[in-house]
């Protein structure tokens, strides 16, 4: 009998627990049968997974070679602790891995292969490695931990990291909610930034202005693929209105499909936009992002 395909966890279980109450998340999801967004309770182990998304070898490698090592680092950040150099690079590997292991990224990657005929796969598929030079584009940015206002909250989506642009470009940044009230940000950098020069700046911690998290949630929801979760205590008029109307309206672009420099960023994104448009049978417009990070010292 053929071996059953793995139940691929495209978002690690250890990172989802903060959005659950004793047993459940509240999930908003796209229902293909009704072509509408619905909501329902999901058990804390029932979200963030899909059968056969990748192979058993990849699933085991993600668990053993990455997630087991990263889970303590995740907890350090949640508790506002600084990371050493090795931990920063392992965190950078996790961030880049998370971007390329989601259902939407894999779907766009498949369409790109069909359109271009390019069938090569990286040696460390979905997991990455510590020798990857791309880690510098995350590890050597400035990092922030942003706490929400006490009245606000953050959601988690099936594209849990919001990436504003190509990682090689200095004005791109990454927004990754760690809990409903804490967000990790790898910031945009100034014009003389050298990503291959060690950045020894400490992680800075700030509180978001009241209401700012709603704008972050707007973009997180809009860039989702099919679903998001939030803590049951946060369900209300705002969530029912926002998430049912904008969930997945502009799915997170798969920026990692291209290597770019400043001079070819526009043509590279046009290529990505076409891949997305073919995959989703929708003519995606220009990618525009409002400023998501408040001005801090």
């Amino acid at each position: 009998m053929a071996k059953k395909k793995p139940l691929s966890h495209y978002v690690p279980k250890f990172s989802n627990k903060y959005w659950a109450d004793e047993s459940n998340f509240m999930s908003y999801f796209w229902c293909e049968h009704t072509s509408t967004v619905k909501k329902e309770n999901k058990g804390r182990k029932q979200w963030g997974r899909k059968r056969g998304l990748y192979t058993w070898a990849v699933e085991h490698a993600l668990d053993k070679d990455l997630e087991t090592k990263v889970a303590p680092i995740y907890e350090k950040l949640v508790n506002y602790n600084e990371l050493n150099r090795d931990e920063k690079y392992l965190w950078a590997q996790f961030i880049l891995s998370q971007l390329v292991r989601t259902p939407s990224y894999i779907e766009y990657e498949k369409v790109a292969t069909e359109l271009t005929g390019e069938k090569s796969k990286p040696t460390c598929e979905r997991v990455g490695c510590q020798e990857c030079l791309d880690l510098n584009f995350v590890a050597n940015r400035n990092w922030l931990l942003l706490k929400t206002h006490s009245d606000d909250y953050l959601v988690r989506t099936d594209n849990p990291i919001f990436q504003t642009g190509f990682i090689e470009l200095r004005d791109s940044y990454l927004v990754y909610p760690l809990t409903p009230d804490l967000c990790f940000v790898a910031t945009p950098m100034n014009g003389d930034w050298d990503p291959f020069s060690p950045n020894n700046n400490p992680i800075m911690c700030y509180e978001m202005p009241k209401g700012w998290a709603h704008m972050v949630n707007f973009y997180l929801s809009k860039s989702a693929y099919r679903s998001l979760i939030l803590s049951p205590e946060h369900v209300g008029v705002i969530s029912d209105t926002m998430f049912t109307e904008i969930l997945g309206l502009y799915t997170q672009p798969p920026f990692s499909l291209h290597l770019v420099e400043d001079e070819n960023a526009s043509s590279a994104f046009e290529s990505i936009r076409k891949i997305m448009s073919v995959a989703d049978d929708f003519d995606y417009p220009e990618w525009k992002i409002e400023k998501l990070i408040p001005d801090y010292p």
Side-chain angles (χ1 to χ4, degrees):
M1 186 173 68
K3 190 175 182 180
K4 196 173 185 179
K5 292 182 178 180
L7 193 58
S8 306
H9 292 86
Y10 56 85
V11 183
K13 290 180 289 185
F14 72 77
S15 69
N16 292 335
K17 63 184 180 182
Y18 296 97
W19 278 268
D21 59 14
E22 293 182 357
S23 59
N24 295 307
F25 309 109
M26 178 60 70
S27 175
Y28 290 80
F29 65 98
W30 176 255
C31 177
E32 295 182 357
H33 301 294
T34 63
S35 297
T36 60
V37 175
K38 294 187 173 183
K39 71 175 181 180
E40 68 177 6
N41 286 320
K42 284 281 188 181
R44 60 188 307 164
K45 296 182 179 180
Q46 295 178 324
W47 184 87
R49 61 187 190 176
K50 183 177 181 180
R51 179 73 64 186
L53 196 58
Y54 22 77
T55 64
W56 278 108
V58 172
E59 181 72 11
H60 291 321
L62 284 167
D63 181 26
K64 178 182 176 181
D65 299 335
L66 186 58
E67 293 175 11
T68 300
K69 299 175 182 177
V70 166
I73 297 175
Y74 196 102
E75 295 302 312
K76 288 187 72 171
L77 291 173
V78 166
N79 289 288
Y80 299 93
N81 290 312
E82 190 63 73
L83 305 185
N84 63 37
R85 183 183 183 279
D86 290 343
E87 289 171 331
K88 287 189 69 173
Y89 274 83
L90 189 55
W91 183 252
Q93 180 183 342
F94 171 71
I95 291 290
L96 294 181
S97 169
Q98 179 63 87
L99 288 168
V100 302
R101 63 190 282 189
T102 63
S104 67
Y105 185 91
I106 292 173
E107 178 63 24
Y108 295 146
E109 184 181 59
K110 181 176 72 174
V111 171
T113 298
E114 292 170 353
L115 293 175
T116 65
E118 175 60 53
K119 297 182 180 180
S120 63
K121 289 187 177 181
T123 303
C124 304
E125 183 186 358
R126 313 298 167 204
V127 182
C129 66
Q130 285 292 287
E131 289 71 41
C132 178
L133 293 178
D134 282 358
L135 301 186
N136 292 285
F137 294 113
V138 178
N140 291 322
R141 291 179 183 271
N142 293 329
W143 289 4
L144 304 178
L145 288 174
L146 302 184
K147 181 174 175 56
T148 64
H149 186 276
S150 59
D151 293 336
D152 298 340
Y153 63 88
L154 295 163
V155 301
R156 164 147 292 186
T157 82
D158 54 5
N159 281 315
I161 300 175
F162 184 71
Q163 182 179 4
T164 66
F166 296 101
I167 197 65
E168 299 91 344
L169 304 183
R170 62 179 179 81
D171 58 351
S172 299
Y173 53 99
L174 301 161
V175 178
Y176 180 37
L178 301 173
T179 75
D181 58 15
L182 186 65
C183 190
F184 168 84
V185 178
T187 72
M189 302 299 287
N190 59 32
D192 60 357
W193 176 55
D194 178 3
F196 299 100
S197 178
N199 184 342
N200 296 316
N201 292 335
I203 301 173
M204 302 302 291
C205 304
Y206 300 101
E207 181 173 307
M208 296 182 189
K210 180 177 173 60
W212 200 279
H214 292 311
M215 183 169 66
V216 177
N217 285 339
F218 173 87
Y219 281 105
L220 289 169
S221 175
K222 188 176 180 180
S223 65
Y225 187 48
R226 295 289 185 266
S227 68
L228 62 78
I229 54 172
L230 69 160
S231 175
E233 66 180 301
H234 294 139
V235 175
V237 174
I238 292 177
S239 64
D240 284 348
T241 302
M242 181 187 295
F243 305 139
T244 56
E245 291 183 359
I246 66 170
L247 182 73
L249 285 184
Y250 203 128
T251 302
Q252 172 65 55
F255 290 108
S256 299
L257 287 177
H258 264 286
L259 297 176
V260 302
E261 297 178 354
D262 286 302
E263 56 268 22
N264 69 342
S266 295
S267 60
F269 181 74
E270 179 59 18
S271 174
I272 283 177
R273 190 189 68 81
K274 289 180 179 177
I275 291 169
M276 296 174 65
S277 297
V278 170
D280 295 335
D281 193 24
F282 173 75
D283 187 16
Y284 281 96
E286 183 181 355
W287 174 251
K288 293 182 178 180
I289 304 299
E290 299 293 332
K291 185 177 180 182
L292 280 181
I293 306 174
D295 291 321
Y296 295 111

